[in-house]
Amino acid sequence: MGNSYYFRKIHSLLGVIPVGFFLIEHLLTNYEATKGPQAFVDQINWLNGLPLVLLLEIVGIWLPLLYHAVYGLYVAYQARNNVSNYSYFRNQMFMLQRVTGVITFLFVAWHLFETRLQVALGNVAHENLGMTMHDIATNPVMFTVYVIGIVSATFHFCNGLWSFLVSWGITVGPRAQRYSSIIWMVLFVVMSVMFIMSLTAFTDTQFQVPVEAHSGH
């Protein structure tokens, strides 16, 4: 592909700024579920109350995410993983980055279908997304699928941050790259734990009924 250097740079940048921001925002929003249904709905309502929210979603999330995902699949298809021949740490991380990228793409597409698309079609109200997540989280198969998707997404983001710093000339030497690996892997563990805590919170029976029933509306 012509100008592949620039396409890769854009792919890397979009994966950190808008897409990474979306992942962190998603983490913080869902973590509100650990405080109960009302806190979760309040956070959703706050997000939906932002000015020009639809435009922000399209320009700031969906288009960058689409580019990052499609070009990422192209890169994964072209990548030649040689872990069997060169089984050192960074080579394995390179392979895992490609594998988790594909898993994350499939997971995000399915998650958006179950949640955001259902809201757009009018099948689920925003304030009832907690009930939707409760149905998902209390299904053992779907719970397992979501854990795999969550761990893949957080690893892909955090390991991608390591690659981003290297490719943009920020962490140049071996020492800086080693410390960078530690920092981002710690972040990976923290984010994964928070996501799984959020998913587990949705199994609470409080999420079985609309928030109005709890708040007396």
Side-chain angles (χ1 to χ4, degrees), residues 118-136:
Q118 299 309 313
V119 171
L121 294 174
N123 297 329
V124 177
H126 269 116
E127 57 271 18
N128 291 336
L129 278 174
M131 296 174 63
T132 300
M133 288 305 304
H134 174 78
D135 293 338
I136 292 170

Side-chain angles (χ1 to χ4, degrees), residues 22 37 46 100 169 191 193 207:
F22 169 66
W46 178 81
T100 55
M191 290 182 67
V193 169
F207 286 95

Side-chain angles (χ1 to χ4, degrees), residues 81-83 86-96:
N81 299 314
N82 53 359
V83 173
Y86 304 99
S87 185
Y88 51 91
F89 175 74
R90 191 40 63 183
N91 202 357
Q92 291 197 356
M93 297 294 270
F94 173 84
M95 183 196 70
L96 286 173

